[in-house]
Amino acid sequence: MKQRLGRIAIAAACTLLAACGNDSGGSQSDELPPQLSATTLGEQTVLEVSEYLSAPPYAGADKENGARLVLMCKSCHSFDKGGPNMIGPALFDVFSRRVGGQDGFAYSPAMQEADFAWTPRALDAWLARPGPFLPGNRMPFAGVMRAEDRNDLIAYLLEATSDQKASAQ
């Protein structure tokens, strides 16, 4: 019975990872941003959530698509205010938070040692290729290939993980 459950868990994990790859067409070189990493982000400008939501590409994002895409995130992260840490850290108020800054979550050494804030730009690079973005992180996620899907997902997360809403909506 234990072996069978182990195989089921492995199969479920493989299915989830395959879904996370989100290969819905387009060439990788056309869709993924230039190789950006936690160490090459450079100086970051942190804005209010409403400022991100009122500017391109998030003002014109398809939040319904973002709501569909976020389902893959919800298997490991909570989004609600006061929500629990799960396999991954709770993401409420993630934007502008320092990496590794969610209280009570046991981050990998790579996340603990990184030095950047979660902005849409950083999250875009993370979502495209988490492994190359921050080598040594423990997030088993293949990435989101299409830039449009990442924009839709980030726009959705900006609202879903914040008390703020875009003023232009």
Side-chain angles (χ1 to χ4, degrees):
M1 182 69 169
K2 280 186 182 179
Q3 263 187 332
R4 183 169 181 247
L5 289 175
R7 284 188 295 236
I8 291 170
I10 290 169
C14 290
T15 301
L16 179 62
L17 288 173
C20 291
N22 194 28
D23 189 2
S24 55
S27 74
Q28 191 169 8
S29 62
D30 291 339
E31 299 292 342
L32 293 174
Q35 185 65 46
L36 189 62
S37 73
T39 57
T40 62
L41 272 173
E43 188 174 329
Q44 294 177 278
T45 301
V46 178
L47 304 174
E48 294 292 324
V49 167
S50 59
E51 292 176 277
Y52 291 123
L53 286 168
S54 63
Y58 309 112
D62 180 351
K63 292 188 189 126
E64 287 182 26
N65 185 41
R68 285 187 296 274
L69 292 167
V70 84
L71 294 176
M72 63 186 157
C73 307
K74 286 187 173 186
S75 62
C76 297
H77 298 278
S78 66
F79 302 120
D80 298 328
K81 189 173 196 170
N85 291 320
M86 298 169 56
I87 292 170
L91 295 181
F92 192 83
D93 271 344
V94 69
F95 290 97
S96 79
R97 183 190 306 159
R98 300 301 303 168
V99 65
Q102 175 60 28
D103 289 339
F105 186 77
Y107 288 98
S108 66
M111 293 293 274
Q112 292 173 17
E113 294 167 10
D115 184 26
F116 65 91
W118 287 113
T119 62
R121 181 173 174 255
L123 187 59
D124 180 55
W126 170 267
L127 288 171
R129 292 174 273 189
F133 178 78
L134 185 60
N137 81 74
R138 294 188 303 230
M139 187 165 135
F141 181 71
V144 177
M145 299 296 257
R146 295 184 60 229
E148 186 175 339
D149 285 342
R150 289 192 309 275
N151 291 338
D152 295 347
L153 179 56
I154 290 168
Y156 180 86
L157 286 171
L158 280 160
E159 284 192 354
T161 64
S162 173
D163 287 328
Q164 300 178 43
K165 303 289 183 218
S167 58
Q169 293 188 0

Short mmCIF file of all heavy atoms in Angstrom, two decimals, residues 134-162:
data_model
loop_
_atom_site.label_atom_id
_atom_site.label_comp_id
_atom_site.label_asym_id
_atom_site.label_seq_id
_atom_site.Cartn_x
_atom_site.Cartn_y
_atom_site.Cartn_z
N LEU A 134 16.99 32.01 -9.36
CA LEU A 134 17.61 31.90 -8.05
C LEU A 134 18.05 30.46 -7.82
O LEU A 134 17.31 29.65 -7.26
CB LEU A 134 16.66 32.36 -6.93
CG LEU A 134 17.26 32.40 -5.54
CD1 LEU A 134 18.44 33.37 -5.47
CD2 LEU A 134 16.20 32.80 -4.52
N PRO A 135 19.23 30.11 -8.30
CA PRO A 135 19.73 28.74 -8.13
C PRO A 135 19.74 28.34 -6.65
O PRO A 135 20.08 29.14 -5.78
CB PRO A 135 21.15 28.80 -8.69
CG PRO A 135 21.12 29.95 -9.65
CD PRO A 135 20.18 30.95 -9.04
N GLY A 136 19.30 27.12 -6.40
CA GLY A 136 19.27 26.59 -5.04
C GLY A 136 17.94 26.77 -4.34
O GLY A 136 17.76 26.31 -3.22
N ASN A 137 16.97 27.43 -5.00
CA ASN A 137 15.66 27.54 -4.37
C ASN A 137 14.96 26.18 -4.45
O ASN A 137 15.33 25.34 -5.26
CB ASN A 137 14.82 28.65 -5.01
CG ASN A 137 14.16 28.24 -6.30
OD1 ASN A 137 13.18 27.49 -6.31
ND2 ASN A 137 14.69 28.73 -7.42
N ARG A 138 13.99 25.96 -3.59
CA ARG A 138 13.34 24.65 -3.51
C ARG A 138 12.00 24.59 -4.21
O ARG A 138 11.29 23.59 -4.08
CB ARG A 138 13.15 24.26 -2.04
CG ARG A 138 14.43 24.02 -1.30
CD ARG A 138 14.19 23.45 0.08
NE ARG A 138 13.34 24.29 0.89
CZ ARG A 138 13.62 24.69 2.12
NH1 ARG A 138 14.73 24.31 2.70
NH2 ARG A 138 12.78 25.45 2.79
N MET A 139 11.63 25.59 -4.95
CA MET A 139 10.31 25.59 -5.58
C MET A 139 10.32 24.69 -6.81
O MET A 139 10.98 24.99 -7.80
CB MET A 139 9.89 27.01 -5.96
CG MET A 139 8.47 27.07 -6.45
SD MET A 139 7.91 28.77 -6.46
CE MET A 139 7.10 28.83 -8.03
N PRO A 140 9.56 23.58 -6.76
CA PRO A 140 9.53 22.66 -7.90
C PRO A 140 8.54 23.13 -8.95
O PRO A 140 7.45 22.59 -9.10
CB PRO A 140 9.10 21.33 -7.27
CG PRO A 140 8.20 21.76 -6.14
CD PRO A 140 8.78 23.07 -5.64
N PHE A 141 8.89 24.14 -9.68
CA PHE A 141 7.99 24.77 -10.64
C PHE A 141 8.74 24.97 -11.95
O PHE A 141 9.82 25.57 -11.96
CB PHE A 141 7.52 26.11 -10.05
CG PHE A 141 6.56 26.86 -10.92
CD1 PHE A 141 5.26 26.42 -11.10
CD2 PHE A 141 6.96 28.03 -11.53
CE1 PHE A 141 4.37 27.13 -11.89
CE2 PHE A 141 6.08 28.75 -12.33
CZ PHE A 141 4.78 28.30 -12.50
N ALA A 142 8.18 24.50 -13.03
CA ALA A 142 8.85 24.56 -14.33
C ALA A 142 8.86 25.96 -14.92
O ALA A 142 9.75 26.29 -15.69
CB ALA A 142 8.17 23.59 -15.30
N GLY A 143 7.90 26.78 -14.56
CA GLY A 143 7.84 28.13 -15.08
C GLY A 143 6.65 28.33 -16.01
O GLY A 143 5.99 27.38 -16.42
N VAL A 144 6.35 29.58 -16.31
CA VAL A 144 5.27 29.96 -17.22
C VAL A 144 5.93 30.53 -18.47
O VAL A 144 6.61 31.55 -18.40
CB VAL A 144 4.34 31.01 -16.56
CG1 VAL A 144 3.25 31.46 -17.53
CG2 VAL A 144 3.72 30.45 -15.28
N MET A 145 5.74 29.87 -19.59
CA MET A 145 6.47 30.21 -20.81
C MET A 145 6.04 31.52 -21.45
O MET A 145 6.88 32.31 -21.85
CB MET A 145 6.32 29.09 -21.84
CG MET A 145 6.87 27.76 -21.36
SD MET A 145 8.61 27.85 -21.08
CE MET A 145 9.16 27.00 -22.52
N ARG A 146 4.75 31.74 -21.58
CA ARG A 146 4.25 32.89 -22.34
C ARG A 146 4.25 34.17 -21.51
O ARG A 146 3.69 34.21 -20.42
CB ARG A 146 2.84 32.60 -22.85
CG ARG A 146 2.82 31.44 -23.85
CD ARG A 146 1.44 31.21 -24.44
NE ARG A 146 1.01 32.42 -25.13
CZ ARG A 146 -0.18 32.98 -24.95
NH1 ARG A 146 -1.07 32.45 -24.14
NH2 ARG A 146 -0.51 34.09 -25.60
N ALA A 147 4.82 35.23 -22.06
CA ALA A 147 4.87 36.53 -21.38
C ALA A 147 3.46 37.04 -21.07
O ALA A 147 3.21 37.57 -19.99
CB ALA A 147 5.62 37.54 -22.24
N GLU A 148 2.54 36.86 -21.99
CA GLU A 148 1.16 37.31 -21.77
C GLU A 148 0.53 36.59 -20.57
O GLU A 148 -0.16 37.21 -19.77
CB GLU A 148 0.34 37.08 -23.04
CG GLU A 148 -1.06 37.64 -22.95
CD GLU A 148 -1.82 37.49 -24.27
OE1 GLU A 148 -1.18 37.33 -25.32
OE2 GLU A 148 -3.05 37.52 -24.22
N ASP A 149 0.78 35.30 -20.46
CA ASP A 149 0.26 34.55 -19.32
C ASP A 149 0.88 35.04 -18.01
O ASP A 149 0.19 35.17 -17.00
CB ASP A 149 0.52 33.05 -19.48
CG ASP A 149 -0.41 32.39 -20.48
OD1 ASP A 149 -1.47 32.97 -20.80
OD2 ASP A 149 -0.07 31.29 -20.95
N ARG A 150 2.18 35.32 -18.03
CA ARG A 150 2.82 35.85 -16.82
C ARG A 150 2.23 37.20 -16.44
O ARG A 150 1.95 37.46 -15.27
CB ARG A 150 4.34 35.94 -17.00
CG ARG A 150 5.03 34.59 -17.05
CD ARG A 150 6.54 34.70 -16.95
NE ARG A 150 7.14 35.64 -17.89
CZ ARG A 150 7.47 35.34 -19.14
NH1 ARG A 150 7.27 34.11 -19.62
NH2 ARG A 150 8.02 36.26 -19.92
N ASN A 151 1.99 38.06 -17.42
CA ASN A 151 1.38 39.37 -17.14
C ASN A 151 -0.01 39.21 -16.55
O ASN A 151 -0.36 39.90 -15.59
CB ASN A 151 1.32 40.22 -18.41
CG ASN A 151 2.68 40.67 -18.88
OD1 ASN A 151 3.64 40.71 -18.13
ND2 ASN A 151 2.77 41.01 -20.16
N ASP A 152 -0.80 38.30 -17.12
CA ASP A 152 -2.15 38.06 -16.61
C ASP A 152 -2.10 37.53 -15.18
O ASP A 152 -2.87 37.96 -14.31
CB ASP A 152 -2.89 37.06 -17.50
CG ASP A 152 -3.15 37.58 -18.91
OD1 ASP A 152 -2.99 38.80 -19.16
OD2 ASP A 152 -3.49 36.74 -19.78
N LEU A 153 -1.19 36.60 -14.94
CA LEU A 153 -1.05 36.01 -13.61
C LEU A 153 -0.59 37.06 -12.59
O LEU A 153 -1.14 37.15 -11.49
CB LEU A 153 -0.07 34.84 -13.65
CG LEU A 153 0.23 34.11 -12.35
CD1 LEU A 153 -1.04 33.60 -11.69
CD2 LEU A 153 1.21 32.98 -12.61
N ILE A 154 0.38 37.87 -12.95
CA ILE A 154 0.89 38.89 -12.04
C ILE A 154 -0.20 39.92 -11.74
O ILE A 154 -0.39 40.33 -10.59
CB ILE A 154 2.17 39.54 -12.60
CG1 ILE A 154 3.31 38.53 -12.56
CG2 ILE A 154 2.53 40.81 -11.81
CD1 ILE A 154 4.54 38.94 -13.35
N ALA A 155 -0.95 40.35 -12.76
CA ALA A 155 -2.05 41.31 -12.54
C ALA A 155 -3.07 40.72 -11.57
O ALA A 155 -3.54 41.41 -10.65
CB ALA A 155 -2.71 41.67 -13.87
N TYR A 156 -3.40 39.46 -11.76
CA TYR A 156 -4.34 38.81 -10.85
C TYR A 156 -3.77 38.76 -9.43
O TYR A 156 -4.45 39.09 -8.46
CB TYR A 156 -4.68 37.39 -11.34
CG TYR A 156 -5.63 36.70 -10.42
CD1 TYR A 156 -7.00 36.89 -10.55
CD2 TYR A 156 -5.18 35.90 -9.37
CE1 TYR A 156 -7.90 36.29 -9.68
CE2 TYR A 156 -6.06 35.30 -8.50
CZ TYR A 156 -7.42 35.49 -8.65
OH TYR A 156 -8.30 34.91 -7.77
N LEU A 157 -2.50 38.38 -9.30
CA LEU A 157 -1.87 38.29 -7.99
C LEU A 157 -1.75 39.66 -7.31
O LEU A 157 -1.86 39.75 -6.08
CB LEU A 157 -0.49 37.64 -8.09
CG LEU A 157 -0.48 36.15 -8.34
CD1 LEU A 157 0.93 35.66 -8.65
CD2 LEU A 157 -1.07 35.39 -7.15
N LEU A 158 -1.52 40.71 -8.08
CA LEU A 158 -1.45 42.04 -7.50
C LEU A 158 -2.73 42.35 -6.73
O LEU A 158 -2.68 42.90 -5.62
CB LEU A 158 -1.21 43.10 -8.58
CG LEU A 158 0.24 43.25 -9.05
CD1 LEU A 158 0.31 43.92 -10.41
CD2 LEU A 158 1.06 44.02 -8.02
N GLU A 159 -3.87 41.99 -7.30
CA GLU A 159 -5.14 42.22 -6.61
C GLU A 159 -5.42 41.17 -5.54
O GLU A 159 -5.82 41.50 -4.44
CB GLU A 159 -6.29 42.25 -7.61
CG GLU A 159 -6.35 43.53 -8.38
CD GLU A 159 -7.63 43.70 -9.16
OE1 GLU A 159 -8.47 42.76 -9.20
OE2 GLU A 159 -7.81 44.78 -9.74
N ALA A 160 -5.20 39.91 -5.87
CA ALA A 160 -5.58 38.82 -4.97
C ALA A 160 -4.76 38.79 -3.68
O ALA A 160 -5.21 38.25 -2.68
CB ALA A 160 -5.45 37.48 -5.70
N THR A 161 -3.57 39.38 -3.71
CA THR A 161 -2.70 39.32 -2.53
C THR A 161 -2.59 40.68 -1.84
O THR A 161 -1.66 40.91 -1.09
CB THR A 161 -1.29 38.81 -2.90
OG1 THR A 161 -0.68 39.75 -3.80
CG2 THR A 161 -1.36 37.43 -3.53
N SER A 162 -3.55 41.56 -2.12
CA SER A 162 -3.50 42.91 -1.58
C SER A 162 -4.88 43.42 -1.24
O SER A 162 -5.87 42.99 -1.82
CB SER A 162 -2.86 43.83 -2.63
OG SER A 162 -2.93 45.16 -2.23
#
